Amino acid sequence: MVTQHYFYGVGRRKTAVAQVRIFPNGNGTVIVNGKPMADVLPRDLYQHAVVSPFLATDTMGKYNVTVRVEGGGLTGWSGAISMGVARALVEANEGFRAPLRRHGLLTRDARAKERKKYGLKRARKAPQYTKR
């Protein structure tokens, strides 16, 4: 039995968690939750975020990617996958760390939805003020 070698990375964004495996000597296909990336992430903005680590390291089309992602929405998914791919690339080649860091792809985006406060309608929106 032959096991195919891959590099692994975990990415997180908002409430989304992506488990990414990149396989060397590939043709650049990206599979997200068992489906092609274009079916899961329909907007070009999301697809560009996913492949941006490959563009930053000039390795477009050299790896196949399989992703399992859950939680959150499409924006969180694309950000989490991007971070997971970047971490997997660093595991594959330590020389990729500098360009990925320069493009901000290894830094966790800590922004998340702010909790609702009592007495307010949302996190910061107050009820309309009435004088009389």
Side-chain angles (χ1 to χ4, degrees):
M1 183 173 155
V2 176
T3 58
Q4 192 173 9
H5 185 67
Y6 61 85
F7 300 100
Y8 180 77
V10 175
R12 292 181 182 87
R13 170 81 163 86
K14 294 187 176 182
T15 58
V17 180
Q19 299 170 334
V20 178
R21 292 177 181 180
I22 61 170
F23 298 86
N25 304 325
N27 56 5
T29 59
V30 180
I31 305 295
V32 179
N33 289 348
K35 298 176 188 165
M37 174 177 62
D39 294 350
V40 179
L41 302 171
R43 292 184 59 192
D44 290 338
L45 179 76
Y46 299 143
Q47 293 177 25
H48 181 73
V50 169
V51 298
S52 58
F54 295 119
L55 296 173
T57 57
D58 198 33
T59 55
M60 195 67 177
K62 295 182 180 175
Y63 294 92
N64 284 349
V65 182
T66 60
V67 183
R68 196 172 128 236
V69 62
E70 48 190 36
L74 297 182
T75 303
W77 279 22
S78 62
I81 294 169
S82 175
M83 183 182 202
V85 168
R87 286 181 169 178
L89 283 170
V90 168
E91 192 176 302
N93 183 351
E94 191 64 36
F96 290 153
R97 185 179 296 275
L100 290 169
R101 174 76 62 202
R102 196 166 42 250
H103 285 86
L105 296 168
L106 293 174
T107 305
R108 163 88 157 86
D109 190 350
R111 293 177 297 171
K113 187 168 173 124
E114 190 174 343
R115 71 172 284 271
K116 181 193 175 299
K117 277 64 164 210
Y118 56 86
L120 301 180
K121 293 180 181 238
R122 296 194 306 257
R124 296 181 185 225
K125 182 178 170 124
Q128 185 173 356
Y129 172 75
T130 55
K131 195 168 189 178
R132 288 180 187 86

